């Protein structure tokens, strides 16, 4: 395994397809058919004779939000690193998504405002973009490509627990949809992709195994999202992100507009704590006009609204520290939000889930046996989670209502982050390096390189 987090992250986030793969087990069972579960299933199809996915939601309603992923009604931006992984595991994915109606704006067409100041566009990275669509549209395409793989199948039902021997996981208990009694599926490897409310920790404790420590950062985030018919007489906007940070006379808020499939805009406004947008459309319009750049008000007031305003509250960012467990059943892994779920305004969740699949691939290709505890997998996942957690919590610790937990060295990293950020407004090379980190194409540690810091200091002195 590579020594530094930056190098390991570079290995994990590679776009290269694995060369030869070896079948290592008879059967893998994946719990949950959302982003983490689907991508993990695709990776496991290279190493298992058979992969079974168990998902509680029926999947016939394509492109529609579903109960198991309630956040699917809200704006979901895919970061370039996630897009890269989709093309890695499903060659031609982006082209197919565009053909089906998704959009691929250039970095220059994305307008990013920070405290009402338009940021310079990030220099384009050759061959790397980020698909823009609604969440259900993206998930439908990923599910279709996953289930097209010959040795992957899906059943619907509620997972109730896992079976464990004295050393490893041996099966999964679930109640098939429409049945009264649970059945057991044998498994050589089990992936928990059941999202942030996963019960895996309880199941481990009930069976006498240690559960991972759960770390939380309360963020009290409030989202409201509405869909509109796109109209170029009102705006040519494809992607707009507007963020205000808390400060003198300023309240922390976030707004976003994405041009999505079927000629629509999806628009989000978000606040924290008691700053709660409601389902009332008059309130939505008033907030758009008052709190965000004019394009928000223009669309809300003039474009045809499609459906109701839908709100969502997320109380905290959280991570489960599987990497610290010294005792772990062989063959058991967790991925996606089941390991870590972040403040969604930074758009990291789906990309992290995709990078966890890449960690699973690297782990299984490293010669590790699926029967052994997957410590190597969780060490890789830690690098991905640390990268996302550092970006999101560093910014969230600036919010007045967030008072920890503070990571080690917070003051120094915060000062360095501010230094690089300020310099990136003027220096396009620094803008590119910083964007690579926020797009999850590089680890935040890569910004601590002396050449980057020197450039940032020079920019500060020259101001
Ligand atoms: C408001 C909001 C906005 C967001 N915006 C973005 C964004 O812009 N960009 C981004 O990348 N991410 C965003 N995210 C995060 C993103 O939604 C998640 O990170 C992502 O969905 C995680 O995928 P997952 O597969 O780990 O879990 P989930 O998507 O939560 O899926 C869990 C799956 O497990 C199934 N399941 C659960 N329990 C059982 C059971 N017992 N039996 C069978 N099946 C079960 C569920 O039905 C579901 O299909 C946002 C999140 C929120 C809350």
């Amino acid at each position: 395994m590579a020594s530094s987090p930056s190098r390991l992250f570079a290995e994990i986030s590679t776009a290269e397809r694995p060369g030869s793969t070896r079948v290592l087990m008879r059967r893998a069972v994946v719990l949950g058919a959302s982003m983490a579960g689907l991508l993990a299933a695709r990776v496991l199809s290279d190493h298992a004779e058979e992969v079974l996915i168990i998902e509680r939601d029926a999947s016939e309603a394509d492109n529609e939000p579903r109960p198991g992923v309630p956040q699917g009604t809200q704006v979901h931006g895919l970061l370039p690193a996630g897009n890269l992984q989709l093309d890695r595991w499903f060659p031609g994915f982006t082209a197919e998504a565009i053909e089906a109606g998704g959009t691929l704006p250039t970095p220059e067409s994305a307008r990013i405002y920070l405290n009402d100041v338009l940021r310079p566009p990030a220099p384009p990275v050759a061959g790397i973009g980020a698909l823009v669509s609604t969440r259900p549209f993206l998930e439908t395409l990923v599910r279709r490509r996953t289930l097209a793989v010959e040795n992957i199948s899906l059943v619907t039902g509620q997972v109730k627990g896992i079976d464990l021997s004295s050393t490893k996981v041996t099966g999964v208990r679930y109640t098939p949809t429409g049945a009264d009694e649970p059945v057991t599926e044998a498994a050589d490897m089990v992936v928990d992709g059941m999202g942030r409310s996963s019960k895996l920790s309880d199941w481990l404790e009930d069976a006498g195994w240690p559960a991972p420590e759960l770390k939380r950062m309360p963020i009290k985030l409030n989202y409201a999202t509405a869909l509109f018919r796109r109209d170029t007489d009102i705006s040519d906007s494809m992607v707009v992100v507007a963020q205000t940070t808390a400060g003198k006379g300023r309240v922390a808020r976030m707004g976003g507009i994405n041009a999505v499939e079927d000629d629509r805009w999806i628009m989000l406004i978000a606040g924290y704590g008691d700053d709660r947008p409601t389902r009332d459309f008059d309130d939505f319009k008033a907030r758009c006009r008052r709190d965000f750049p004019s394009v928000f008000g223009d669309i809300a007031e003039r474009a045809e609204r499609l459906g109701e305003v839908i709100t969502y509250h997320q109380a905290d960012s959280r991570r489960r520290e599987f990497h610290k467990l010294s005792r772990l059943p062989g063959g058991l892994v967790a991925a996606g939000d089941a390991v870590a779920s972040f403040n969604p305004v930074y758009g990291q969740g789906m990309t992290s889930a995709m990078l966890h699949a890449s960690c699973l691939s690297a782990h299984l290709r490293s010669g590790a046996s699926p029967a052994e505890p997957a410590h190597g997998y969780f060490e890789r996942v830690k690098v991905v989670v640390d990268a996302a957690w550092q970006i999101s919590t560093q910014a969230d610790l600036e919010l007045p209502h967030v008072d920890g937990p503070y990571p080690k060295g917070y003051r120094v990293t915060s000062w360095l982050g501010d230094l690089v950020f300020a310099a990136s407004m003027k220096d396009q090379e620094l803008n590119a390096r910083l964007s690579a980190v926020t797009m999850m194409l590089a680890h935040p540690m890569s910004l601590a390189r002396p050449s980057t810091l020197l450039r940032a200091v020079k920019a500060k002195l020259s101001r």
Side-chain angles (χ1 to χ4, degrees):
M1 218 184 286
S3 49
S4 80
S6 294
R7 280 211 201 115
L8 198 49
F9 190 87
E11 276 179 23
I12 294 163
S13 57
T14 179
E16 252 172 65
R17 292 183 196 129
S20 62
T21 50
R22 235 164 24 99
V23 173
L24 302 169
M25 63 195 106
R26 214 198 76 62
R27 192 179 209 217
V29 177
V30 175
L31 318 181
S34 182
M35 291 302 174
L38 293 169
L39 266 289
R42 165 61 194 88
V43 163
L44 286 166
S45 70
D46 286 341
H47 300 282
E49 287 171 23
E50 186 193 330
V51 183
L52 178 70
I53 308 174
I54 307 176
E55 164 59 48
R56 64 185 170 191
D57 280 350
S59 56
E60 57 267 8
D62 279 356
N63 297 345
E64 291 296 329
R66 58 190 181 86
V69 182
Q71 73 272 29
T73 52
Q74 305 294 317
V75 165
H76 268 65
L78 177 65
L79 298 179
N83 209 149
L84 215 63
Q85 290 303 310
L86 287 177
D87 277 329
R88 178 183 186 206
W89 296 109
F90 304 112
F93 185 93
T94 303
E96 232 175 69
I98 291 169
E99 175 85 357
T103 60
L104 192 68
T106 56
E108 305 88 67
S109 66
R111 286 180 215 138
I112 301 180
Y113 296 87
L114 183 72
N115 296 331
D116 289 331
V117 177
L118 188 60
R119 270 187 69 78
V125 186
I128 304 184
L131 269 170
V132 174
S133 72
T134 61
R135 161 67 193 250
F137 173 93
L138 185 67
E139 197 186 287
T140 299
L141 290 178
V142 176
R143 188 174 59 231
R144 210 173 279 163
R145 286 293 299 263
T146 305
L147 296 182
V149 179
E150 210 180 334
N151 60 346
I152 302 180
S153 59
L154 182 145
V155 290
T156 52
Q158 180 89 19
V159 177
K160 299 286 188 190
I162 50 174
D163 287 343
L164 297 158
S165 72
S166 59
T167 56
K168 66 178 295 298
V169 66
T170 57
V172 174
R173 272 168 286 120
Y174 85 105
T175 308
T177 304
D180 295 328
E181 295 297 324
V183 295
T184 299
E185 296 287 353
D188 301 308
M189 184 163 225
V190 170
V191 178
D192 173 12
M194 292 184 291
R196 62 188 254 130
S197 311
S198 165
K199 299 260 184 304
L200 179 64
S201 294
D202 297 345
W203 298 342
L204 282 171
E205 273 184 340
D206 289 350
W209 290 83
E213 190 189 327
L214 177 65
K215 213 186 224 177
R216 295 176 197 254
M217 178 176 284
I219 52 168
K220 300 181 187 157
L221 174 70
N222 311 306
Y223 259 45
T225 289
L227 281 158
F228 298 88
R229 174 82 49 224
R230 236 165 101 196
D231 182 344
T232 46
D233 286 343
I234 300 172
S235 170
D236 61 358
S237 294
M238 298 295 285
V239 173
V240 184
V241 177
Q243 196 178 357
T244 47
T245 54
K248 222 174 174 190
R250 278 196 324 257
V251 174
R253 290 198 178 98
M254 154 86 185
I257 301 170
N258 279 348
V260 296
E261 73 280 0
D262 299 330
D263 251 336
R264 296 174 297 170
W265 281 304
I266 189 165
M267 188 153 90
L268 143 84
I269 56 173
Y272 292 94
D274 296 333
D275 183 23
R276 264 182 191 250
T278 64
R279 300 180 69 110
D280 174 15
F281 187 53
D282 288 333
D283 173 59
F284 188 91
K285 276 193 294 195
R287 284 171 181 269
C288 283
R289 183 55 73 202
R290 188 193 65 202
D291 301 334
F292 296 98
S294 58
V295 60
F296 284 77
D298 294 346
I299 292 176
E301 288 163 12
R302 292 172 53 208
E304 180 194 351
R305 177 163 53 104
L306 307 166
E308 298 302 312
V309 177
I310 304 179
T311 54
Y312 197 95
H313 178 72
Q314 182 166 313
D316 57 28
S317 296
R318 55 175 72 168
R319 61 187 289 182
R320 294 186 172 96
E321 312 230 88
F322 285 95
H323 62 276
K324 287 190 180 160
L325 289 177
S326 54
R327 274 184 71 227
L328 183 68
L332 182 65
V333 302
D337 279 17
V339 180
S341 119
F342 316 94
N343 181 340
V345 304
Y346 310 104
Q348 300 164 317
M350 297 189 296
T351 296
S352 295
M354 290 161 195
L355 290 171
H356 295 177
S358 178
C359 294
L360 185 57
S361 170
H363 174 65
L364 291 173
R365 284 182 289 117
S366 72
S369 158
E372 299 294 322
H375 295 300
Y377 165 77
F378 284 114
E379 276 168 37
R380 290 177 173 89
V381 164
K382 174 186 183 295
V383 171
V384 175
V385 172
D386 281 349
W389 188 261
Q390 186 176 332
I391 294 290
S392 72
T393 60
Q394 186 97 21
D396 289 346
L397 282 166
E398 308 277 328
L399 296 167
H401 64 283
V402 177
D403 56 3
Y406 287 87
K408 257 190 231 148
Y410 166 71
R411 275 176 193 282
V412 177
T413 46
S414 173
W415 184 82
L416 289 175
D418 289 348
L419 182 75
V420 174
F421 183 84
S424 73
M425 294 294 280
K426 292 273 157 59
D427 180 331
Q428 274 299 69
E429 175 54 34
L430 285 183
N431 192 14
R433 290 183 200 177
L434 180 63
S435 297
V437 169
T438 55
M439 293 171 187
M440 293 191 78
L441 293 163
H443 193 278
M445 285 288 283
S446 63
L447 293 177
R449 280 205 305 256
S451 66
T452 301
L453 296 180
L454 206 62
R455 256 186 118 103
V457 171
K458 274 189 188 153
K460 188 178 167 74
L461 294 177
S462 72
R463 270 204 301 275

